[in-house]
Amino acid sequence: MTGHSLPAKAACRDSMINMGSDESVLILIKHCQDMKQQETRLRLITFLLLLSCMALVLFMTSANLWQHKNTGSRQQENEVKQSPAYSRQGCPAENLSTDSKRLQIHLRSVPEARVSGALYMTWDAEFGQIYNQEKRAIVIPVKGFYFVYVRIALNCLVEDKQFKRFFVELQQWNKGYDRNVTLMDALDGIVCAPQGSKTVFLGRLFDLSEGDHLRVLIMEGYELITKSSFGAYLT
């Protein structure tokens, strides 16, 4: 009995060891399977997130394209609606000269000897080439609204404390009606005293026609002028 009990105990120990090893292997296998399932779930979730992001990007891109397309179509419709009006009025760029300086001019007065009576002022063009020296006038090249200005500085050289009158007119002339029309005028004066000086300014917006001539007529007080400028530009 003793001889039989010893082998039996040894066999039991071996079987317990074998059972312990098998259980560890089973636990390890189950753990690996759980890890694979979790990895599969994570991959699936990641894939679904990527699909969602791609779908969102495609939706936003399509929405932007649709919006731009609608905006472009509305702009084209507006252009089509406005085109008849533009065709009737004509494109300003087709009527105007390509040289923008021809649509504005700035003049400086030319000194002259003292004279009596009314006199049209003579000018030198600082920029712009629409000045008629013979008529002493700015010539309007195209119809439009022009801002016309005249600036005249006065000074009395004789210190006798007398008041000297000054009267200036801006006149318009066109061969179509062949008469002078006064657009602006100013009546002023200055006292002949030490350091006595004054500036007379005229400026206004006018609707002028092609071929209009603008010139400055000094009716009285030409000898009081020290310097002056005259100009016009298309607005």
Side-chain angles (χ1 to χ4, degrees):
M1 290 179 64
T2 305
H4 287 290
S5 61
L6 290 175
K9 291 181 180 179
C12 185
R13 277 198 308 270
D14 292 338
S15 62
M16 291 178 64
I17 293 172
N18 291 334
M19 289 180 62
S21 301
D22 292 339
E23 186 177 358
S24 300
V25 171
L26 291 175
I27 293 173
L28 182 60
I29 292 173
K30 186 177 180 181
H31 179 69
C32 292
Q33 290 177 351
D34 293 339
M35 292 293 291
K36 288 182 178 181
Q37 290 179 358
Q38 290 181 2
E39 184 178 359
T40 303
R41 293 193 192 97
L42 290 175
R43 288 181 178 178
L44 181 60
I45 293 172
T46 304
F47 179 70
L48 292 176
L49 289 176
L50 289 175
L51 285 179
S52 301
C53 293
M54 291 178 64
L56 181 61
V57 171
L58 291 175
F59 174 77
M60 294 180 63
T61 304
S62 301
N64 290 333
L65 291 176
W66 182 77
Q67 184 178 4
H68 287 305
K69 183 178 179 180
N70 289 342
T71 304
S73 62
R74 285 196 297 268
Q75 289 178 352
Q76 290 178 356
E77 290 177 359
N78 293 334
E79 291 176 358
V80 170
K81 291 179 181 178
Q82 293 176 357
S83 59
Y86 285 126
S87 62
R88 291 193 300 268
Q89 295 176 359
C91 180
E94 295 175 358
N95 299 326
L96 302 181
S97 169
T98 55
D99 185 4
S100 61
K101 290 186 178 181
R102 293 190 60 190
L103 301 180
Q104 57 182 344
I105 185 170
H106 183 74
L107 311 176
R108 290 288 183 182
S109 59
V110 177
E112 295 186 19
R114 289 185 61 182
V115 294
S116 60
L119 176 69
Y120 286 105
M121 295 193 68
T122 304
W123 308 90
D124 278 335
E126 289 198 343
F127 57 84
Q129 301 297 326
I130 49 177
Y131 175 62
N132 188 324
Q133 292 185 352
E134 181 181 358
K135 295 185 178 295
R136 303 183 179 186
I138 291 176
V139 183
I140 300 301
V142 293
K143 178 179 174 59
F145 288 92
Y146 290 80
F147 184 78
V148 185
Y149 59 90
V150 182
R151 182 181 180 276
I152 300 175
L154 305 178
N155 196 351
C156 188
L157 301 179
V158 180
E159 298 181 3
D160 54 7
K161 296 185 180 181
Q162 293 184 3
F163 182 80
K164 300 292 183 178
R165 286 164 48 93
F166 179 76
F167 186 32
V168 57
E169 289 185 354
L170 173 67
Q171 293 187 351
Q172 175 190 15
W173 174 87
N174 192 300
K175 63 180 180 180
Y177 45 83
D178 195 18
R179 65 187 181 93
N180 293 318
V181 178
T182 300
L183 299 179
M184 293 186 293
D185 59 33
L187 177 61
D188 208 329
I190 187 172
V191 177
C192 295
Q195 300 179 351
S197 61
K198 182 177 289 188
T199 299
V200 178
F201 180 82
L202 296 85
R204 214 169 80 189
L205 192 67
F206 295 99
D207 184 8
L208 301 176
S209 301
E210 180 181 356
D212 281 344
H213 287 58
L214 306 177
R215 49 189 178 178
V216 179
L217 176 64
I218 305 300
M219 299 291 294
E220 186 178 355
Y222 184 88
E223 69 279 3
L224 302 175
I225 299 175
T226 56
K227 60 181 179 179
S228 56
S229 58
F230 177 34
Y233 60 87
L234 180 66
T235 59

